[in-house]
Amino acid sequence: MSSKEKKKGALQEKLQLLRSVTHSHAVNKTSIIVDASKYIMELKQKVDARSQDVVEDSSVTMQVTVETLEKGFLVNVLSEKSWPGLLVSILEAFEDLGLEVLDANVSCSDTFRLEAVGGENQAESVDAQMVRQAVLQAIKKCTEE
């Protein structure tokens, strides 16, 4: 068997493996690769969605909930641990969204707890999901530093 035939056989073997891993029913090389690319994108979206649901540092879990109120949002953040600058980071996220803090209760000693009511300065351009994502990003930024 020539070197060229061995390479072709190895490529076919790898394509079949890729086809089985991605659950592709494609037959030609291009379609298998396109299916694999789509599969990878789906996995990436799933990972991104899950990583935004919970921010973890070792075994510490943050819980973030956002409820829509008549004029603004009720934001609750609860963690077993507090980080320096976490409150500032979250408040900066509020500011970036154009939310004004109308009322807040905060505890940042050993644990971190924030209950804040934010009112919109901008007319209906922010929804609860946007607020939640901004708060999660602020937490992630602060906990990674």
Side-chain angles (χ1 to χ4, degrees):
M1 188 182 271
S2 74
S3 174
K4 190 175 183 179
E5 290 173 339
K6 285 181 183 178
K7 286 181 182 179
K8 186 176 181 179
L11 178 61
Q12 286 298 332
E13 205 173 290
K14 289 177 183 177
L15 282 171
Q16 288 306 314
L17 179 61
L18 184 60
R19 185 174 175 237
S20 69
V21 168
T22 60
H23 308 291
S24 173
H25 299 290
V27 178
N28 66 37
K29 291 182 227 178
T30 304
S31 297
I32 293 170
I33 293 170
V34 168
D35 286 350
S37 177
K38 288 178 185 176
Y39 181 76
I40 290 167
M41 293 301 288
E42 289 172 12
L43 290 176
K44 184 182 179 313
Q45 288 174 344
K46 287 178 183 178
V47 168
D48 288 346
R50 288 192 180 166
S51 69
Q52 291 176 355
D53 285 343
V54 177
V55 177
E56 294 184 17
D57 175 59
S58 302
S59 62
V60 179
T61 303
M62 284 262 188
Q63 181 181 1
V64 177
T65 59
V66 178
E67 296 177 36
T68 304
L69 302 175
E70 188 176 320
K71 292 184 179 181
F73 303 95
L74 173 62
V75 179
N76 284 294
V77 179
L78 182 61
S79 172
E80 300 167 350
K81 180 181 174 184
S82 184
W83 286 268
L86 182 56
L87 178 60
V88 172
S89 185
I90 292 171
L91 293 176
E92 286 173 348
F94 277 28
E95 188 176 295
D96 292 345
L97 290 172
L99 293 178
E100 183 180 333
V101 177
L102 304 174
D103 186 35
N105 291 313
V106 181
S107 172
C108 6
S109 50
D110 294 331
T111 61
F112 182 86
R113 186 183 61 78
L114 167 69
E115 181 179 84
V117 177
E120 287 188 72
N121 291 336
Q122 304 168 357
E124 299 183 29
S125 61
V126 179
D127 64 12
Q129 185 61 26
M130 289 174 65
V131 174
R132 187 170 187 277
Q133 293 302 321
V135 171
L136 286 168
Q137 288 297 327
I139 292 168
K140 187 175 181 180
K141 176 184 162 191
C142 186
T143 58
E144 288 177 349
E145 291 178 354

